[in-house]
Amino acid sequence: MIEPGSLIRSLSGRSAARNFHTFVINEIGHGIVTGKFPVGSILASDAVMMETYGVSRTVLREALKTLEAKGLVEARPKVGTKVSPASRWSFFDPQVLFWHFEAKPDRRFYESLFDVREALESRAAELASHRRTADEIRILKYWAHQMDIAEDGVEPHLLAALEIHRAIAESSGNALLRSVTGVVELTMVLSAKFAPPADLRQRHADYVAQHEALVSAMERGDGDAAVQLMQSIITRDKQQTMAVFG
């Protein structure tokens, strides 16, 4: 399991410390999502993978069980470990989403990400506008301020923005809406990665203004305005991401 913000932090080359178990999970999972291990292929034997990754059989087996739980592989008697069809992958799993960041751009997949994000975050913004507490508004204002003072720092800017979206999901009072956090983070990072080479400071200023307006709408209890502003933020991220396809 990875922590929220891990993908954003990876933009600066920082990665969380990993033990052997998570190392193997990451190496194989990343290989599957990016196509190194194609769907339908059979992974190497235990002996080969143990030598390749420098781990024991116990560590390897536990890693494969984790990948199987994520829907990426399937162990078959007398056949081996087979890479599962993408339709079986757990796309809401933050780690699976993390691996997609380095995969080849896929228009349909990116569109699907934004469809899901818009549907769930719009609802979260509406609910949070009516259910938020004074303390939750203070938290949202704090992170909006952190976005503002980040200026040209992409990482702190995006981390603060992610915290706003996580706080909105929390304020919605719907535990299931929190599951969209991984999708939000991936789409934010893709937006930053593929954004046209315009003035970074102006982009940040516009993004801060949108989020400040969203927090203000929620503070007023204006659910309709909050939904519109959330959709505007998501549309901005989508337009910048889809620019990669020309």
Side-chain angles (χ1 to χ4, degrees), residues 133-143:
T133 65
D135 283 342
E136 287 169 335
I137 290 296
R138 281 193 287 271
I139 291 172
L140 286 166
K141 287 183 175 180
Y142 168 79
W143 286 114

Side-chain angles (χ1 to χ4, degrees), residues 96-121:
V96 175
L97 290 168
F98 189 112
W99 295 324
H100 272 89
F101 177 63
E102 295 181 349
K104 181 180 178 181
D106 182 327
R107 178 186 290 272
R108 180 168 294 183
F109 178 68
Y110 287 177
E111 288 176 341
S112 297
L113 286 172
F114 283 101
D115 285 345
V116 169
R117 181 180 170 188
E118 181 174 356
L120 296 184
E121 280 215 292

Side-chain angles (χ1 to χ4, degrees), residues 36-115:
K36 179 181 177 182
F37 305 127
V39 168
S41 65
I42 305 297
L43 297 181
S45 67
D46 285 4
V48 171
M49 287 195 285
M50 287 162 56
E51 182 176 356
T52 299
Y53 303 119
V55 296
S56 67
R57 186 179 301 275
T58 299
V59 169
L60 176 63
R61 289 290 176 87
E62 287 301 315
L64 291 176
K65 285 181 180 178
T66 299
L67 291 168
E68 189 166 15
K70 296 177 186 292
L72 271 66
V73 299
E74 178 184 6
R76 293 189 173 183
K78 299 182 180 180
V79 175
T81 302
K82 186 176 183 179
V83 178
S84 301
S87 59
R88 298 183 185 176
W89 299 356
S90 300
F91 285 106
F92 276 88
D93 185 298
Q95 201 164 21
V96 175
L97 290 168
F98 189 112
W99 295 324
H100 272 89
F101 177 63
E102 295 181 349
K104 181 180 178 181
D106 182 327
R107 178 186 290 272
R108 180 168 294 183
F109 178 68
Y110 287 177
E111 288 176 341
S112 297
L113 286 172
F114 283 101
D115 285 345

Side-chain angles (χ1 to χ4, degrees), residues 6 45 73 91 100 104 109 126 137 163 175 177 180 182 188 198-199 206 212 221 228:
S6 295
S45 67
V73 299
F91 285 106
H100 272 89
K104 181 180 178 181
F109 178 68
E126 181 181 22
I137 290 296
E163 289 301 329
L177 291 176
V180 78
M188 281 184 176
D199 180 69
D206 292 343
E212 288 177 337
Q228 291 177 0

